[in-house]
Amino acid sequence: MAWRTPRGFWEYLLLQVPDLVLAGMVLGLLRWWGKLSTAWAVGLFCLWLAKDLAMFACMRDVFAPPQGGLESLVGTRGVAKERLAPVGHVLLEGELWRAETVRPGQVVAPGAPVVVRARRGLTLLVEVEASSACEEGGGRQDEG
């Protein structure tokens, strides 16, 4: 089994090149001026390189490909911000989205919890969350 480099490693390393060049130049100048021995200059450069490699573990998520898109919203829960009859807007993860009910005749009241079932272009297809529909249905039976 071959060892594979983590995603984004080479991009991260490429961004460290100017940093490493500058560190090498400063250490080279200090060596040339007689302020550092060769062993100290090489040792400090290796420490600087080790620091950059260790920092990749902290920065890995920044260089990973984005995990998102409209497909990632399918299955998420949100709240109807206005009456969906059948089109309106819902709030999902802090963002306002255009939404349409899955069943054309269904009306969703503002504030009702909804679940995203699919998408059509930039419009999300939603339905009332099953647990809240059961609670609402039970409440209506008690009133009648």
Side-chain angles (χ1 to χ4, degrees):
M1 185 169 152
W3 184 76
R4 292 178 24 169
T5 57
R7 287 194 134 167
F9 177 76
W10 297 112
E11 292 87 353
Y12 172 78
L13 202 59
L14 186 63
L15 287 173
Q16 301 313 308
V17 168
D19 178 45
L20 291 171
V21 169
L22 183 60
M25 288 173 52
V26 168
L27 290 170
L29 282 173
L30 288 173
R31 169 67 187 108
W32 187 58
W33 291 331
K35 304 291 184 187
L36 280 179
S37 69
T38 303
W40 271 100
V42 170
L44 288 173
F45 185 79
C46 288
L47 276 173
W48 196 269
L49 179 62
K51 181 262 315 173
D52 283 345
L53 292 175
M55 285 300 294
F56 175 70
C58 299
M59 302 294 292
R60 182 180 340 198
D61 293 339
V62 173
F63 292 94
Q67 303 291 322
L70 290 176
E71 288 77 23
S72 68
L73 291 176
V74 174
T76 59
R77 291 173 170 81
V79 177
K81 290 306 283 182
E82 61 188 28
R83 183 172 183 244
L84 285 102
V87 180
H89 289 88
V90 296
L91 187 67
L92 293 172
E93 299 176 356
E95 295 180 350
L96 202 59
W97 288 89
R98 185 173 192 269
E100 184 176 334
T101 58
V102 174
R103 286 180 248 130
Q106 184 181 23
V107 175
V108 179
V114 295
V115 179
V116 179
R117 296 297 178 204
R119 73 171 180 94
R120 185 183 312 127
L122 290 177
T123 301
L124 301 176
L125 301 175
V126 299
E127 67 181 2
V128 177
E129 192 171 8
S131 62
S132 67
C134 292
E135 291 170 8
E136 287 175 11
R140 289 185 188 135
Q141 288 175 353
D142 291 340
E143 291 172 7

